[in-house]
Amino acid sequence: MIGITPWPRGLVLAGIAAAVLAGCASGPPPAATDTRTYCMETVLKRVTVCTPERVPSAAVEAHAKRFAPSADALTVYVVRGRWADAARLVEFGLDDGVRVGTLPRSLVRMRLRPGEHELSLSWNGSTRRHQFAGDAGEVLFIELAGSAWPWERPYHWSAADPMGSQDRAKQSRLIADIR
């Protein structure tokens, strides 16, 4: 009988683990025609989690995904699109006012007055804040990052590279358009 040597067995186990993690936040690709809430179903527990608010129309999403600057506003995209993210609602606040509930593969466009702003999120008893500033006509990308089981990396803000964030944003569903 031919056995599997330790190295390939480890590689096989790593492949299985990657496949399981990729399915933590499953669901169909975001549908651009859906104007209801945006929902995902967890693979392991078969629980459906939805955004609290209705999502913008397909036309608004198409416009937002052009990533064009607005002459009179600072445009900020909050992207939640990391590969090991779990299907759980994570809410963030803008300048201690507007609250938005996000899910994996979701995108929020905010057109704000130029100047300084703050994003905040609370997760497992701690608050994470991210301060940013910009001018009219500027476009910023900020990522809401975290991970799923088994690492349970806390959710946090990440000012990632704009091109990588833009690629993840294109694959995400626009769930809020804030002006």
Side-chain angles (χ1 to χ4, degrees), residues 42-160:
T42 63
V43 171
L44 299 176
K45 294 184 181 180
R46 296 284 183 212
V47 175
T48 300
V49 182
C50 299
T51 57
E53 302 294 328
R54 296 174 69 83
V55 297
S57 69
V60 172
E61 181 170 13
H63 183 268
K65 288 185 175 179
R66 285 189 227 147
F67 308 113
S70 180
D72 62 338
L74 164 63
T75 305
V76 179
Y77 289 92
V78 175
V79 182
R80 184 173 165 197
R82 297 296 173 97
W83 72 271
D85 199 351
R88 54 179 79 148
L89 187 68
V90 176
E91 190 177 78
F92 74 84
L94 169 66
D95 296 332
D96 293 325
V98 175
R99 309 270 326 149
V100 179
T102 67
L103 290 174
R105 293 185 298 179
S106 64
L107 173 67
V108 176
R109 176 174 66 170
M110 300 180 292
R111 288 170 285 179
L112 309 171
R113 63 173 166 62
E116 296 182 7
H117 298 277
E118 182 178 80
L119 295 173
S120 63
L121 69 95
S122 294
W123 187 254
N124 286 343
S126 66
T127 300
R128 310 269 181 182
R129 298 186 188 287
H130 181 75
Q131 295 181 346
F132 62 95
D135 297 321
E138 193 173 350
V139 176
L140 300 176
F141 287 88
I142 301 170
E143 293 203 44
L144 176 57
S147 64
W149 176 88
W151 299 283
E152 285 295 330
R153 186 164 181 214
Y155 286 91
H156 61 282
W157 297 107
S158 173

